[in-house]
Amino acid sequence: MPERSAVVVGGNRIPFAKAGTKYAAASSGDMLTAALDGLVARFGLAGQQVGEVAAGAVLKHTRDFNLTREAVLGSALDPHTPACDLQQACGTGLETVIYVANKIRLGQADTGIAGGVDSASDAPIVVSEGLRRALLRASRSKTLLERLKSFASLHPTDLAPVPPGVVEPRTGLSMGESQALTTAEYGLTREAADELALASHRNLARAWDAGFFDDLVTPYLGVTRDTLLRPDTSAEALAKLKPVFGGENGTMTAGNSTALTDGAAVVLLAEEEWARERHWPVLARVVDAQVAATDYVTGNEGLLIAGARAIPVLLERNGLTLADFDLVEIHEAFASTVLATLAQLEADGHGTVDRARLNVNGSSLAAGHPFAATGGRIVATLAKLLAERGPGSRGLISICAAGGQAVTAILEAV
Amino acid sequence: MNVLESLYGTPLGKKAAARLGLAEPPVLRRGRELPRGEIVLATLPGGGVAAEALALLGLSPIDPLLDLPERRTTDDRGRPQPPRYERRPGAVVIDATGVREIAQLEGLRQVLRPAMKGLEASGRVILLATDAADVSDVEAKAVAQAFDGINRTVSKELRGGSTANLVFVRAGTPASDLCSTLSFLLEGRSAFVAGQTWRVGPAKAGDAAGAEYDPARPFTGRIVVVTGAARGIGAEIARTFARDGAAVVAVDVPAAGDALAGVANAVRGSALQLDITVPDAAERIAAHVATVHGPQAKIWAVIHNAGITRDKLLANLDEGRWASVLEVNLAAEMRMNPTLLDPDLPGGLGEQARIVGIASTSGWAGNKGQTNYAASKAGVMGLTWAESAELPDRPVTANAVAPGFIETEMTAAIPFVQREVFRRTNALGQGGRPVDVAETIAYLADPASGGVDGQVVRVCGHNLIGA
């Protein structure tokens, strides 16, 4: 079989919205379907079959066990299009791109759609462990008496609903609390974090104004732009915000941490020759990918800086250095996540990243971060940017994820 | 919906309205439906092209009844009555292309009188005559104009959703170039076109429908670009072209992208989020066509439907509202056409192609509070005529439709009483539907409509304003 390569053809997302606002009544399935339908319309794929659709969500209802396939069936795609759900925390979106790209390279598919969705508004709320066990016992009971007995052990507090936890099960720390430890360890300043946040907003606003997202975003429920974006924010405004993590003297604020967000994003991939024969845009090739994890549980490493482990492996395998990348996309879970990752890379002798090449059209601080949708947003944005720069332009993506992991990848314009 | 409008919708309200002379309007025959009754053909001396065209369409017309004194009967009150058709005919086609003298107009009267109350619902009167430009003597020119008066009046006198229209057939027009027009006028597609006059001539060299042409699905294998396609009339245009076989490229502003995607996916077309006022709008449309359909693909027709209103009385009208309406409704279209017509542009208009603009009866008659809009829409007519004249040697036609009162989200915002007045003040006593505009556009863009060029066809139910 001749060598096959997987390329990014295009992408689509719905504007990202602050949780509990415009998309509060939309389910993950609704949003993923809307993102898919916008992509289908852009490429005239209605009624056509795609090799496979892979997507996922971090916050998932049990009823969404087949989220992606259901979204495909609700979309304008041919119902013969297969689909599966993947989950890799905040790395889900990028992981689906890697999954689909690998299938394409192996000849198991010619085309595919990768992506993700998350609704922090429509997060599943579960019953307490006590009530859950009681209900299961009751369902196994054969007599009324047994059934009533099942509930005898219930405590009133068991009746309170349990909202989804965003804490690491092994440390009991939230993302922000974990990152605050890293921030302190690396001695990252409030000013540096705010500067990164400000750049994110300015860059994203400029891209929107320039029409960059005209062929990457389809409006949804009356929302036409990312609602967390504050084009008019300033260093002064950011400096006024009170710390939310790291105590009174902490440097992490609502301004330099991502907010809970709703949204969905998808990417259309195809085998390079297949795409060229059909005159589809060939934006960028998916060159390579690497996942890594840190030993965060012992406290020896930061929770969200596994990118500093994955990137060197990628560089080594591809004979590249950080300086070989025209553009770098490091997911802004927190401004200090980006700064810590860069600091660790530099400490490990990999040099630094020119800020003029970093998140040039904004990232999660300005766009928001619907967990599993972030990968699709970044891949589509970077692929278009690289295509604009011309063949040979190279881009690096790093997305940190829960569990001390990070998913990274290299794209190259062809 | 206000109180008055709610009342109007109740059975009691309907009764009261009927008392006031506001009867329920007739339900119009729509779609690719021929009349159920017979088609009557009257060929007046010197005519013949209509008979040929009807034969090409596979239709077998019957002879007309003539209102001659000896054929009249008397009713029970002793009044003379014209002869009556045994079964109500569906259409009366009068081929008056040979009529040159005032005395010969009596022939039209004889055919029309028995038809006026004798047609089935949604019947048709179709007059074919020779254009004044193609006749030489004074009497013939006067007669040519007389047809216009006859047509407009017949249109107003007909009932039950029936329409009358006049087609001026230019000298040398073969019957084959008349077929698409006759078919459109006979079928339900022309439901809301009434009291209108337009011209059909010989198609330009190279403007034939082609061997694969299927009149039932005339756009099979052809790409049609529709701007402003996210909702209302534009969405209906997309659906109508898709029904007739076209691969639709639906264009609308990025902010309307979700509705646009819905329309594009529903018709299995593609969507392009684009503000048509950007300088490279035409290039981006062509690039999209080349991406979705390949670099060899060419656009068959572009339908410049995108339009906005920014209504204000001129006394209150600022430069912003003035400029935006002219920019979107007129200037953008004018800029795009020459680029799309460039034969070297991949994904541009084909060598043979159709351009259709959207004018408005506001552009014709004026409308209070719409100076900017009327300017833009009258401008579209001027643009259509000029573009048509600029392309004498290329098989491209440029035409426009001018919608009157059409029931859309936009017109639903007009206050109820005013809206009801708009609805009622036309010969059909009702508002048109978006599909009526779409059908007319599809007729103008039909591969067999090469003989229809530089025309503005009103879709207004024969509106009394500006008639």
Side-chain angles (χ1 to χ4, degrees):
Chain A
M1 190 163 64
E3 195 172 321
R4 294 166 62 92
S5 67
V7 295
V8 177
V9 172
N12 186 58
R13 64 180 177 95
I14 58 175
F16 291 172
K18 186 175 163 58
T21 62
K22 297 294 178 102
Y23 302 160
S27 69
S28 291
D30 296 338
M31 291 192 286
L32 184 58
T33 306
L36 275 175
D37 271 341
L39 186 78
V40 166
R42 185 162 301 138
F43 290 93
L45 300 176
Q48 294 190 38
Q49 192 178 332
V50 170
E52 186 167 355
V53 180
V58 173
L59 299 175
K60 227 170 155 184
H61 290 268
T62 46
R63 65 165 183 261
D64 285 337
F65 66 95
N66 220 357
L67 174 69
T68 311
R69 172 64 181 151
E70 290 301 325
V72 166
L73 288 172
S75 79
L77 285 169
D78 185 321
H80 294 99
T81 302
C84 73
D85 283 22
L86 290 181
Q87 206 172 40
Q88 159 58 299
C90 301
T92 299
L94 184 54
E95 195 67 78
T96 61
V97 170
I98 296 164
Y99 167 87
V100 170
N102 286 346
K103 281 208 167 186
I104 288 171
R105 283 154 130 183
L106 287 170
Q108 295 166 357
D110 289 321
T111 58
I113 296 173
V117 57
D118 253 295
S119 171
S121 305
D122 189 33
I125 289 177
V126 294
V127 296
S128 71
E129 191 59 16
L131 180 55
R132 190 180 72 87
R133 285 178 189 282
L135 286 166
L136 288 172
R137 265 200 310 275
S139 73
R140 287 193 299 267
S141 306
K142 292 200 170 60
T143 66
L144 180 64
L145 192 65
E146 273 182 43
R147 206 163 293 163
L148 290 173
K149 270 188 187 163
S150 311
F151 296 101
S153 60
L154 272 183
H155 191 267
T157 55
D158 286 335
L159 298 175
V162 183
V166 273
V167 296
E168 287 297 328
R170 290 180 187 280
T171 59
L173 297 177
S174 73
M175 285 270 165
E177 288 159 352
S178 306
Q179 181 59 35
L181 297 177
T182 308
T183 304
E185 188 190 330
Y186 284 82
L188 302 169
T189 66
R190 168 80 181 260
E191 290 69 32
D194 283 354
E195 186 194 342
L196 195 93
L198 183 61
S200 189
H201 283 277
R202 292 217 169 131
N203 287 337
L204 185 70
R206 193 198 60 250
W208 270 110
D209 289 343
F212 181 82
F213 294 109
D214 281 0
D215 60 355
L216 290 179
V217 176
T218 303
Y220 183 57
L221 300 182
V223 182
T224 57
R225 276 196 182 197
D226 303 316
T227 67
L228 284 155
L229 172 62
R230 291 171 181 262
D232 304 325
T233 195
S234 62
E236 296 72 41
L238 287 166
K240 279 186 196 145
L241 298 169
K242 288 203 174 74
V244 287
F245 300 111
E248 261 176 50
N249 299 319
T251 64
M252 296 167 64
T253 68
N256 58 39
S257 310
T258 49
L260 288 175
T261 315
D262 301 337
V266 290
V267 176
L268 177 61
L269 295 135
E271 203 283 316
E272 187 172 345
E273 284 313 307
W274 198 97
R276 289 194 193 284
E277 276 167 26
R278 280 151 191 83
H279 314 287
W280 279 10
V282 174
L283 300 180
R285 186 181 291 153
V286 182
V287 177
D288 200 2
Q290 181 67 43
V291 188
T294 63
D295 175 23
Y296 75 98
V297 181
T298 59
N300 292 335
E301 285 178 273
L303 176 72
L304 300 176
I305 62 160
R309 282 188 164 272
I311 290 168
V313 179
L314 259 190
L315 296 179
E316 170 74 25
R317 188 159 63 224
N318 291 275
L320 296 169
T321 68
L322 279 182
D324 293 322
F325 291 93
D326 301 270
L327 296 170
V328 175
E329 290 280 342
I330 303 180
H331 159 54
E332 299 165 342
F334 302 90
S336 55
T337 314
V338 180
L339 298 171
T341 304
L342 290 174
Q344 186 60 50
L345 283 169
E346 197 169 2
D348 292 342
H350 297 288
T352 187
V353 171
D354 180 358
R355 289 298 175 86
R357 298 178 175 194
L358 179 69
N359 301 348
V360 296
N361 275 1
S363 189
S364 304
L365 286 171
H369 173 40
F371 312 121
T374 290
R377 175 185 67 74
I378 291 178
V379 169
T381 298
L382 179 63
K384 182 175 173 180
L385 283 166
L386 292 173
E388 285 174 355
R389 273 172 172 69
S393 309
R394 217 175 269 127
L396 176 66
I397 302 172
S398 176
I399 299 177
C400 60
Q405 308 202 80
V407 187
T408 63
I410 296 173
L411 301 187
E412 186 176 323
V414 281
Chain B
M1 205 185 269
N2 64 18
V3 179
L4 194 59
E5 190 170 2
S6 313
L7 272 178
Y8 192 65
T10 64
L12 197 66
K14 282 194 174 140
K15 230 178 210 175
R19 284 255 174 126
L20 291 167
L22 298 174
E24 281 283 291
V27 176
L28 305 180
R29 169 167 57 92
R30 286 188 162 90
R32 290 188 169 274
E33 292 290 322
L34 280 166
R36 269 173 300 143
E38 303 275 11
I39 294 164
V40 174
L41 172 65
T43 304
L44 301 186
V49 70
E52 245 185 285
L54 289 174
L56 285 174
L57 289 170
L59 299 171
S60 314
I62 61 164
D63 290 332
L65 292 181
L66 298 181
D67 178 45
L68 300 169
E70 62 271 23
R71 303 253 182 98
R72 288 182 194 143
T73 55
T74 45
D75 66 8
D76 38 12
R77 285 202 261 165
R79 294 175 304 188
Q81 293 295 327
R84 282 174 63 164
Y85 286 96
E86 264 179 45
R87 277 179 32 224
R88 287 177 176 269
V92 174
V93 180
I94 305 179
D95 184 344
T97 51
V99 171
R100 301 287 183 273
E101 296 163 17
I102 294 168
Q104 290 176 304
L105 292 175
E106 161 63 13
L108 273 85
R109 193 203 62 77
Q110 288 172 5
V111 176
L112 285 168
R113 189 178 176 197
M116 292 309 289
K117 288 185 178 172
L119 284 180
E120 70 177 18
S122 289
R124 297 285 187 266
V125 170
I126 302 168
L127 300 178
L128 303 174
T130 297
D131 191 10
D134 291 330
V135 293
S136 45
D137 68 285
V138 170
E139 184 172 0
K141 283 181 189 290
V143 165
Q145 197 60 34
F147 288 118
D148 200 48
I150 294 168
N151 174 51
R152 287 169 192 251
T153 309
V154 170
S155 163
K156 288 182 181 177
E157 289 188 7
L158 284 171
R159 294 173 194 178
S162 293
T163 66
N165 289 287
L166 166 62
V167 177
F168 279 123
V169 184
R170 287 193 170 124
T173 305
S176 56
D177 285 339
L178 199 57
C179 283
S180 74
T181 301
L182 272 184
S183 165
F184 169 69
L185 284 172
L186 286 169
E187 289 183 359
R189 290 182 285 147
S190 62
F192 206 59
V193 178
Q196 300 309 302
T197 301
W198 68 94
R199 285 161 177 75
V200 176
K204 288 183 265 191
D207 204 339
E212 280 140 45
Y213 175 72
D214 171 8
R217 276 175 73 83
F219 303 105
T220 302
R222 295 171 197 266
I223 298 163
V224 176
V225 174
V226 183
T227 68
R231 53 179 64 91
I233 292 175
E236 200 56 44
I237 296 170
R239 286 191 277 270
T240 301
F241 274 100
R243 178 201 67 188
D244 289 354
V248 172
V249 174
V251 181
D252 214 313
V253 289
D258 43 354
L260 185 70
V263 171
N265 287 339
V267 304
R268 303 223 162 161
S270 65
L272 172 62
Q273 298 184 166
L274 171 72
D275 177 350
I276 55 160
T277 63
V278 300
D280 62 343
E283 284 88 348
R284 284 162 72 169
I285 288 173
H288 175 90
V289 169
T291 298
V292 174
H293 300 284
Q296 306 307 320
K298 287 287 185 183
I299 300 168
W300 166 254
V302 57
I303 315 302
H304 293 290
N305 167 71
I308 58 168
T309 54
R310 295 289 182 271
D311 296 359
K312 281 279 175 197
L313 292 173
L314 193 50
N316 305 320
L317 187 62
D318 63 25
E319 68 277 13
R321 286 168 184 269
W322 183 261
S324 58
V325 170
L326 282 166
E327 180 64 18
V328 174
N329 297 5
L330 180 59
E333 172 178 348
M334 188 182 71
R335 271 198 306 270
M336 275 193 273
N337 285 340
T339 310
L340 289 174
L341 282 165
D342 179 353
D344 297 327
L345 179 71
L349 281 163
E351 173 61 18
Q352 186 189 6
R354 304 279 181 258
I355 298 169
V356 185
I358 315 290
S360 163
T361 48
S362 288
W364 214 295
N367 195 16
K368 214 165 99 179
Q370 291 198 314
T371 339
N372 47 3
Y373 187 74
S376 70
K377 292 301 185 179
V380 166
M381 298 185 213
L383 184 66
T384 300
W385 296 322
E387 282 175 344
S388 163
E390 267 204 352
L391 299 162
D393 303 320
R394 187 164 163 188
V396 172
T397 66
N399 293 289
V401 295
F405 184 82
I406 305 296
E407 306 280 358
T408 63
E409 268 177 55
M410 195 165 88
T411 55
I414 298 171
F416 169 65
V417 173
Q418 209 181 336
R419 185 164 15 118
E420 199 55 30
V421 169
F422 282 141
R423 276 182 189 142
R424 298 283 179 177
T425 49
N426 65 54
L428 297 172
Q430 58 190 296
R433 293 188 192 164
V435 71
D436 299 328
V437 180
E439 296 278 23
T440 308
I441 292 168
Y443 148 66
L444 294 171
D446 196 291
S449 293
V452 189
D453 190 14
Q455 303 303 303
V456 179
V457 178
R458 287 170 51 180
V459 187
C460 64
H462 196 185
N463 202 317
L464 305 187
I465 298 163

